[in-house]
Amino acid sequence: AAIVALTMAFPTLADVLQIRKDAPKEYVVEKGDTLWDISAIYLDQPWLWPELWRLNPQIDNPHLIYPGDKLSLVYDSQGRPMLVINQKFKKLSPGVRKTMKKGDAIPTLPLEVIRPFLTYEQALSEEDIDTRPVVLGANKGFKTIDTDQIVYVKGDLERSQYYGIYRQGDPYIDPETEEELGHEAILVGTGRAFRSGDETNAAPSSVRVKNVKREIRQGDFLMPALEGQTLPAFFMMKRPETAISGTIIDTTSKLREFSTMDVVVLNRGERDALKAGHVLDIRRASPTVVLTSDGPKYKDAASRYERTMSYFGDGEDSREWKMPKEKVGELMVFKVYEKVSYAIVTKTLEPVRVGDTIHVDN
């Protein structure tokens, strides 16, 4: 694999780099490691990896680390941690590096590391979906369509072009404003057009189905296979330059709780200056407490009367105390639309849920 260089904004020197308590003093690089993997061994915030390597006088290019290299954790005169290649170990193992080809240098966080966990779902406006070619039916007249069948499509498709076949899903609704942010477009299959159509004369295009993720139905729509699916070979992982807050509004797994490498949907997008590679905190509000005649109670456990009375009073006389939001994980944005984004959960302190908030201070 080609060497992949990840350009990342360095944190300021004012940022304190905290080394994990269980971090080893030395580590031997293994085949399949990435700089992200190694940084996660030493840092609770792996996207700060340049801070761990950039102070290193022995490594002009930290991307050129090879399997078999032994790394040592040391501290400079100002007490700042850094990783260096253990030269003594290299002298004892002169053949290790010679056996490695240039292409064997370990990468940072290439797409291949997370691709198995990504989703092909997209977020499209209803107006956009309405303009797309539509599946009319199949050559065998079945209500559900399988691999190697031919589907007929209302729309002029390009011959030999591969297409994704999608189904319109539920709308994404902003829980704060109730604005419709778009519709989930669910990939159900792929196919290759072999006959162009002519809508003017009601002649359909013809597509041979190549792959089926779930049953294809009449009324599903088509998009060029790569449209909306082109992702960078690597991600420039960094914090947003401006403060941002929002909400996790859905997950592609549709589970109640989810964890590392699950994909979530955010109610923030291009219009909020969100970009692929942005790393955000996931936070959750602690349970609200109401003050009753019997003392503090969680709001959910209070009676209807006690909850009603909690609305009276403010400031130090308030009977309802809303607790702070605490961090429960981190995520990285990988696909951005105008009003929504898809992100992959990179770290969890406890299971993440729909309704948890995203947050970054500027």
Side-chain angles (χ1 to χ4, degrees), residues 231-256:
L231 298 175
F234 55 87
F235 292 94
M236 186 175 69
M237 303 180 72
K238 64 179 182 180
R239 292 291 201 179
E241 297 176 356
T242 57
I244 187 170
S245 61
T247 305
I248 296 175
I249 61 174
D250 202 358
T251 173
T252 58
S253 68
K254 305 302 179 184
L255 298 175
R256 181 178 178 274

Side-chain angles (χ1 to χ4, degrees), residues 89-99:
F89 180 80
K90 284 177 63 179
K91 289 178 181 178
L92 293 175
S93 308
V96 171
R97 200 165 181 118
K98 290 181 181 179
T99 63

